[in-house]
Amino acid sequence: MTRFSNPPDVYSLPASTWRSLGLGSTSGRLDSRIVPNAWVDVRDYGAVSTGVDTAPAIQACIDANPGRVIWIPPGTWSVAPQASRDNAAILLLSNQTLWLDAGATLQLLPTALAIHQVVDFANATNAHIMGGGTINGDVATHLGVTGEGGYGLRFADCVNCSASNIHVNECWGDSIFIGGDLGTGSSTGTRIHNVTMARSRRQGISIVAADD
């Protein structure tokens, strides 16, 4: 059973915000994918904010709940790249929203991998991250010395995906990458809204291959 004390209130945002992100209808009603009865708490799948790698538990929550909103509540949640997910700590699926709550931080654990990402949208359609929280990379603790492919968010070969109202900082490469996988393909309809990016080793955002 979920443990919401104060569930995130998606209705507190104006309809114009949802429409600008492609998440709401022209009538102003919220898309059915992000209604409150779809919330899932990552703690119900074993996620803990104690400094250990909790990426597998968060991923288990994502994999078990296609089409739902995945809630990461306040706290610092340490995550490490998963080799089985193309070195992504977290891989979002199509038609999912990751709600990274204000006061929540996804903190990448130190890695020597030259290519990795904290949250990956690879090949997803209609996947979104929002909520006011923070993603921090490992630029200050990175264990390698080469490469520039460590991203906070990677949009690769995705369609109608978005990031809004979050902070993405201190990544080994770019805070945000938009393009295709392995230098081919492109992403379509990617929206970045009210996202701050700071102190990443390469730059804030790289738009390599994108349409619309």
Side-chain angles (χ1 to χ4, degrees):
M1 180 178 294
T2 54
R3 311 171 195 167
F4 298 134
S5 56
N6 291 293
D9 181 12
V10 295
Y11 292 107
S12 66
L13 296 177
S16 60
T17 297
W18 296 109
R19 288 197 298 273
S20 72
L21 295 171
L23 302 179
S25 69
T26 55
S27 67
R29 292 191 299 178
L30 297 186
D31 188 289
S32 61
R33 290 186 298 274
I34 49 176
V35 294
N37 63 7
W39 296 102
V40 183
D41 188 333
V42 296
R43 293 174 295 184
D44 291 331
Y45 288 78
V48 294
S49 55
T50 59
V52 300
D53 178 18
T54 200
I58 294 174
Q59 192 66 52
C61 181
I62 289 170
D63 293 346
N65 292 282
R68 303 183 76 183
V69 181
I70 309 302
W71 182 41
I72 299 181
T76 298
W77 308 84
S78 298
V79 294
Q82 303 177 73
S84 62
R85 304 284 179 173
D86 197 20
N87 289 340
I90 296 169
L91 177 65
L92 274 184
L93 307 180
S94 295
N95 301 319
Q96 279 185 328
T97 295
L98 183 65
W99 190 282
L100 185 61
D101 213 312
T105 297
L106 285 176
Q107 177 63 58
L108 185 69
L109 292 167
T111 178
L113 293 169
I115 299 176
H116 59 272
Q117 43 275 339
V118 182
V119 178
D120 199 357
F121 291 78
N123 302 302
T125 297
N126 297 323
H128 312 281
I129 183 171
M130 57 185 68
T134 300
I135 293 172
N136 286 333
D138 71 336
V139 72
T141 58
H142 192 72
L143 302 177
V145 296
T146 62
E148 52 186 9
Y151 310 120
L153 302 178
R154 184 180 74 147
F155 296 89
D157 296 317
C158 58
V159 178
N160 297 334
C161 294
S162 73
S164 61
N165 302 311
I166 61 170
H167 314 278
V168 188
N169 307 319
E170 301 175 2
C171 299
W172 184 243
D174 305 319
S175 291
I176 298 176
F177 171 88
I178 302 173
D181 194 16
L182 299 176
T184 63
S186 65
S187 291
T188 301
T190 306
R191 294 173 173 86
I192 308 298
H193 174 76
N194 196 31
V195 174
T196 66
M197 296 162 273
R199 301 181 300 280
S200 286
R201 177 168 165 263
R202 198 167 86 143
Q203 57 193 15
I205 184 169
S206 285
I207 303 175
V208 176
D211 300 307
D212 188 20

